[in-house]
Amino acid sequence: MKTHRIAFENASYLGQTRRLRELALESLKLYSVKPVQIKFINHAENATYRVTDSRGKKYLLRIHRPDYHTQAAIMSELKWLRHLHSFETFSLPVPVMSKRGHLLETAFAEGVGKHRSVCLFKWIDGLFVDPIVNEEKMYKIGELLARLQTHAPKSLYNNRFYWSAEGLVGEAPKFGSIDQIRGLNPKSQMKLTKLRKQVLQPLKSFEKKFPKRMGLIHADLH
């Protein structure tokens, strides 16, 4: 077993990605996939890898950062994807069951330090439809979001309650406050803080008036 003198949190970005690859290899043992290639994609809130198996099929392996989302929150996303896939309307990265028949698994590698939630998806090639954003395209995105909303079953709970008005633009939001941005000049900071407060109140009013319309999160639209 390889030992590491530096804790994962204190390792460099490159050092962390190397250790996460060890975890990726351990994770894939939980699935009926024989990998011949594992290509690193990104390491931020999650670590992601494109996996190609011996038959040429591609998958996306996602390793979750500990203490970021609960397992219930992750499961709600996976169930949501499978539910949408059942309509055969949307092209989606469908979650793959593990050998044990689970959508969400837990894996461990000594260099990473903590057990992490992992999941595997069928790979879908992405495509930028158009680099230009205008009012017409934003309207179409709104139509798509509305279609997603109508497909959401009442039994599906988001379990990500911090994506609320306060969680997005409140005093202590999920990703940190924008009221104290390092390197920003005082005039610009004042303007941003003012805009944040202006956005917060209409969002809070919307939540109060339409509590059942808060089920989707930003990644659903992705």
Side-chain angles (χ1 to χ4, degrees), residues 14-94:
L14 181 59
Q16 289 184 359
T17 58
R18 286 172 176 168
R19 298 189 200 185
L20 285 167
R21 183 178 177 82
E22 297 173 17
L23 183 58
L25 292 169
E26 291 299 319
S27 301
L28 289 170
K29 294 177 182 178
L30 303 171
Y31 297 89
S32 300
V33 174
K34 296 181 179 179
V36 294
Q37 185 184 58
I38 304 175
K39 185 177 181 181
F40 171 74
I41 298 175
N42 188 43
H43 166 37
E45 305 305 340
N46 304 314
T48 49
Y49 296 83
R50 186 181 70 184
V51 179
T52 305
D53 71 6
S54 55
R55 297 172 295 176
K57 289 187 176 181
K58 295 178 182 177
Y59 303 87
L60 175 74
L61 175 67
R62 189 171 71 188
I63 300 172
H64 293 263
R65 190 181 82 185
D67 306 321
Y68 180 59
H69 289 310
T70 63
Q71 287 206 328
I74 300 169
M75 277 301 300
S76 68
E77 178 199 3
L78 301 180
K79 289 178 179 179
W80 175 223
L81 285 170
R82 285 174 65 88
H83 175 77
L84 285 175
H85 180 68
S86 67
F87 289 96
E88 299 182 353
T89 304
F90 306 99
S91 179
L92 299 165
V94 186

Side-chain angles (χ1 to χ4, degrees), residues 50 58 91 123-127:
R50 186 181 70 184
K58 295 178 182 177
S91 179
W123 180 272
I124 292 181
D125 288 317
L127 174 67

Side-chain angles (χ1 to χ4, degrees), residues 63-212:
I63 300 172
H64 293 263
R65 190 181 82 185
D67 306 321
Y68 180 59
H69 289 310
T70 63
Q71 287 206 328
I74 300 169
M75 277 301 300
S76 68
E77 178 199 3
L78 301 180
K79 289 178 179 179
W80 175 223
L81 285 170
R82 285 174 65 88
H83 175 77
L84 285 175
H85 180 68
S86 67
F87 289 96
E88 299 182 353
T89 304
F90 306 99
S91 179
L92 299 165
V94 186
V96 177
M97 288 285 191
S98 69
K99 292 177 181 178
R100 300 193 302 165
H102 294 172
L103 290 176
L104 186 64
E105 284 285 1
T106 301
F108 176 78
E110 190 273 335
V112 176
K114 289 185 178 181
H115 286 77
R116 296 206 180 196
S117 297
V118 299
C119 46
L120 190 70
F121 302 87
K122 292 182 179 179
W123 180 272
I124 292 181
D125 288 317
L127 174 67
F128 282 101
V129 178
D130 196 327
I132 299 173
V133 177
N134 56 32
E135 185 176 348
E136 180 185 357
K137 291 184 175 64
M138 292 303 294
Y139 187 87
K140 288 182 178 179
I141 290 175
E143 286 184 322
L144 174 60
L145 186 58
R147 288 176 62 202
L148 285 172
Q149 189 75 54
T150 59
H151 280 76
K154 293 181 179 179
S155 60
L156 182 69
Y157 293 96
N158 194 328
N159 287 302
R160 301 188 183 195
F161 304 113
Y162 36 78
W163 295 131
S164 59
E166 287 290 343
L168 290 169
V169 288
E171 296 291 337
K174 174 69 175 177
F175 281 121
S177 176
I178 64 169
D179 291 347
Q180 296 178 339
I181 299 178
R182 187 180 301 172
L184 196 64
N185 65 68
K187 186 177 179 180
S188 296
Q189 180 61 75
M190 223 183 210
K191 188 174 182 180
L192 266 181
T193 299
K194 181 181 178 181
L195 289 171
R196 177 188 68 75
K197 292 178 180 178
Q198 288 178 353
V199 169
L200 177 61
Q201 293 310 314
L203 281 177
K204 291 179 77 171
S205 297
F206 182 88
E207 279 182 337
K208 187 175 181 180
K209 188 175 182 180
F210 304 106
K212 295 182 180 180

